[in-house]
């Protein structure tokens, strides 16, 4: 650690340290080429720190005095120099200082050197330089001594509390006073100065305090009027004991920040712990000292500088000291925007000079800030200073906002400040400083035309300003403009909720109802999405099942749609019947001589496929099948009978569909006209044989349904069964839906011998259904199920026992 070096470079002008070091140039051709290259690089970019260092070292090696002085000054203007660079420069300048002007220039250089970082060796070199030139000075002796004492006091203030190396500064100061005392031993005033220095040093926590006490007692005993035994005054002894205790308490911290420790994160953590300890003790001078020691080891750690400045602002409250720390911080970390911003604010507190503030602001913009946030910090500090000047400078404030917005847009065109630190501030100043509401709204309207309109913060900021200025009408119009926009990060939902709250607090019942109506779909959609997110486990399972599900081909999907389409099923059945009819006619011509059961069954099929009246087909077919069919043919006969009844119903449904297409029927969602039941047939009990039922059903006209059931027969209404959606039943044969009550409803047969009849009126009796569906065979039971979507009933025929489909 440079600042902890115990030895200082000799900068005196005595002996061989003279300008002989620079009497002749000692440069090789390679060095000269390198010098030219470095000069070119620094002219192109003067902010190359390493190039500066290399250039200075090479010029010193080649003994190019004038170039070296210029190079050092150029580097020092841009960067603080390390302890080693300063000591080399101070040695070279002190060695060549002969005239009063050169001596004064060297003295000013020492003043600059001690301001960069805390360095005990530089302070010792400074004291030695002033002491040597004071002895040979032609000035008044008292003036020379006073100058030296001032430098010594400055050194003690800066580093006299340094536990490890501060004692060397005290010793240097005492040695000078001892020398003056030796020149005039009878001077009581000089003896008193030496004694006071001893007393002060003994009460300061220093590492070598014991040796200092021994030196003091020996000096006191050497005086002519010394009393034996020699002792220090009681107050000095008490201070000495406290100082020794303080050293003991800080011993562990001093060991952790010893000079031999590398400048890594461990050393930084040790310094921070030391600073915290000293802050707890409450001695500002010791806190400052530890901060200075830490910054000498970590000069580009910007938060150390900021913490140091904050401490001075909170505790010391001396503007000159605060501004000096910020000035040093900016030389070490010029790329940190927050340091520039805080320096501007500190300068505004301590001075009223507008020019000085403007100069610092211009320097900040040219300092090479790294990010948009750094520039934002600086321009906001400048805008704060402009606003603090009041309404008399409103136009200047407006120009400042315009320039700040243009600067950010120019340097960072893609940067979006969602907090709207410039434009929201600008609009507020237009409203309250300039008293111009129209200008404030114009600022917000300009923001809504930019990419910032994608974020809800922009809309809420505009609305908040309007509400604050009691312009609720304009605020409501802004809500209406923005609620339907797809804003980033659920901003639309937030804006909708804010609108409802606004209407509750500032609106009427009508405006609240309108806002609720407009935002309701958005809120419901958001609630549904939130429900899906909340059931993460169920959603994951559904997604996994969807991935495992079979992917249907386009042909399979088409087939499923066809199976669910009653119209398609009707067309298919009609096409099949037509094909069967052509085949039957051909076979009848070839087989007229056949008299067996097979021939008679074909006759029944011919009649069925030719759409003859059911009464002319059903009864002969049933009798022939009953009398002549062998047991092995029973199932085929039953199936043929069921097909005959089904197709009869299909023809009736097709006729009803034709009527509806020509405007003679009624839509499915509107019940048909009320008609009375037929006198005979509809109420006839189904107690005859199946053949008679087939014939009667075929002969009688279709049954019509009354608007309400008989008084002794309540309507049947049961929960929907799993087969109520006939269109979704695999393998079902569907007919055209019934258009009105005068036509028979479609019948759908399934593999479990259960039939479905759809398109009925809402009120129907079970007996009417039995008579209507007698063609289905022997019926075990009937259920009536209401469709929850349409409100109409579907009939479920349970266990068609006779027909095995």
């Amino acid at each position: 650690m440079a600042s902890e070096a115990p030895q200082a470079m000799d900068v005196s002008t005595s002996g061989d340290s003279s300008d002989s070091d620079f009497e002749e140039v000692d440069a090789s051709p390679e060095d000269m080429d390198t010098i030219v290259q470095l000069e070119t690089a620094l002219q192109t970019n003067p902010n190359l720190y390493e190039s500066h260092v290399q250039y200075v070292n090479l010029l010193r090696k080649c003994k190019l005095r004038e170039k070296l002085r210029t190079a050092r000054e150029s580097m020092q203007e841009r960067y603080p120099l390390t302890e080693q660079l300063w000591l080399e420069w101070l040695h070279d300048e002190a060695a060549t200082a002969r005239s009063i002007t050169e001596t004064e220039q060297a003295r000013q250089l020492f003043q600059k050197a001690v301001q960069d970082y805390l360095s005990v060796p530089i302070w010792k070199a400074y004291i030695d330089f002033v002491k040597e030139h004071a002895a040979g000075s032609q000035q008044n002796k008292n003036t020379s001594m006073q100058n030296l004492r001032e430098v010594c006091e400055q050194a003690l203030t800066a580093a006299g509390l340094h536990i490890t190396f501060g004692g060397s500064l005290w010793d240097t100061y005492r040695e000078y006073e001892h020398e003056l005392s030796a020149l005039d031993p009878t001077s009581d005033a000089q003896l008193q100065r030496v004694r006071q220095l001893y007393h002060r040093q003994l009460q300061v926590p220093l590492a070598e305090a014991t040796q200092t006490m021994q030196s003091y007692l020996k000096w006191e005993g050497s005086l002519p009027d010394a009393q034996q035994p020699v002792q220090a005054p009681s107050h000095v002894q008490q201070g000495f004991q406290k100082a020794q205790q303080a050293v003991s308490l800080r011993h562990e911290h001093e060991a952790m920040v010893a000079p031999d420790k590398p400048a890594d994160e461990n050393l930084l953590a040790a310094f921070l712990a030391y600073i915290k300890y000293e802050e707890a003790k409450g001695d500002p001078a010791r806190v400052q000292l530890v901060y200075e020691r830490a910054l000498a080891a970590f000069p580009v750690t910007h938060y150390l500088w900021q913490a140091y400045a904050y401490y001075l602002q909170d505790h010391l409250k001396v503007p000159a000291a605060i501004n000096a720390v910020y000035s040093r911080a900016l030389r070490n970390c010029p790329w940190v925007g927050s340091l520039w911003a805080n320096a501007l604010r500190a300068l505004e507190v301590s001075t009223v000079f507008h020019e000085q503030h403007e100069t610092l602001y211009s320097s900040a913009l040219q300092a090479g800030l790294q990010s948009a946030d750094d520039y934002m910090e600086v321009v906001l500090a400048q805008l704060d200073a402009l606003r603090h000047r009041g309404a008399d400078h409103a136009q200047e404030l407006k120009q400042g906002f315009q320039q700040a917005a243009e600067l950010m847009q120019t340097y960072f065109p893609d940067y979006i400040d969602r907090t709207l630190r410039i434009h929201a501030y600008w609009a507020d100043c237009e409203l309250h400083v300039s008293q111009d509401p129209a200008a404030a709204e114009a600022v917000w309207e300009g923001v809504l035309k930019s990419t910032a309109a994608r974020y809800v913060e922009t809309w809420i900021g505009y609305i908040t300003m309007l509400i604050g200025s009691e312009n609720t009408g304009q605020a409501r119009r802004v809500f209406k403009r923005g609620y339907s926009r797809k804003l980033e990060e659920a901003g639309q939902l937030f804006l909708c909720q804010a609108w409802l709250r606004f209407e509750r607090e500032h609106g009427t019942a009508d405006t609240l109802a309108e806002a609720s109506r407009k935002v309701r779909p958005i809120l419901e959609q958001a609630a549904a999405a939130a429900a899906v997110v909340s059931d993460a486990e169920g959603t994951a399972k559904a997604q996994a099942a969807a991935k495992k599900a079979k992917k249907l081909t386009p042909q399979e999907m088409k087939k499923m749609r066809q199976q669910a389409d009653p119209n398609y099923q009707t067309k298919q059945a009609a096409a099949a019947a037509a094909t069967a009819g052509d085949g039957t006619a051909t076979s009848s011509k070839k087989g007229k001589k056949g008299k067996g059961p097979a021939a008679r069954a074909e006759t029944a099929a011919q009649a069925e496929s030719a759409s003859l009246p059911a009464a002319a087909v059903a009864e002969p077919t049933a009798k022939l099948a009953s009398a002549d069919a062998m047991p092995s043919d029973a199932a085929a006969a039953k199936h043929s009978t069921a097909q005959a009844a089904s197709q009869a119903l299909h023809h009736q449904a097709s006729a009803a569909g034709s009527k509806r297409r020509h405007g003679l029927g009624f839509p499915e969602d509107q019940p048909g006209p009320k008609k009375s039941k037929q006198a005979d047939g509809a109420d006839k009990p189904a107690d005859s044989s199946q053949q008679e039922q087939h014939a009667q059903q075929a002969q009688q006209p279709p049954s019509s349904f009354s608007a309400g059931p008989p008084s002794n027969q309540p309507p049947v209404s049961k929960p929907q069964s799993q087969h109520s959606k006939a269109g979704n039943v695999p393998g079902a044969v569907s007919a055209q839906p019934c258009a009105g009550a005068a036509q028979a409803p479609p019948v759908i047969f399934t593999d479990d011998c259960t039939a479905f009849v759809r398109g009925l009126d809402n009120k129907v009796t079970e007996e009417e259904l039995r008579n209507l569906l007698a063609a289905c065979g022997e019926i075990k039971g009937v259920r009536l199920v209401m469709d929850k979507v349409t409100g109409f009933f579907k009939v479920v025929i349970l266990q068609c026992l006779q027909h095995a489909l």
Side-chain angles (χ1 to χ4, degrees), residues 1 100 186 205 218 261 292 334 349 382 496 708 738:
M1 187 167 57
I100 296 177
T186 60
K218 182 178 179 180
K261 299 292 183 180
E292 291 288 352
V349 171
Q382 173 70 1
C496 291
C738 180

Side-chain angles (χ1 to χ4, degrees), residues 723-790:
H723 299 297
S724 60
K725 295 183 179 180
N728 295 330
V729 178
V733 181
S734 176
Q736 182 72 19
C738 180
Q743 300 296 331
V747 180
I748 301 173
F749 293 95
T750 64
D751 293 338
D752 59 357
C753 300
T754 301
F756 297 84
V757 181
R758 299 181 300 168
L760 298 178
D761 287 340
N762 288 353
K763 296 181 179 180
V764 67
T765 64
E766 182 177 345
E767 191 64 26
E768 290 172 331
L769 294 175
R770 286 182 182 274
N771 293 333
L772 176 65
L773 302 174
C776 295
E778 186 175 348
I779 299 174
K780 183 178 180 180
V782 178
R783 287 196 304 173
L784 195 63
V785 179
M786 183 179 72
D787 192 317
K788 294 182 179 179
V789 178
T790 64

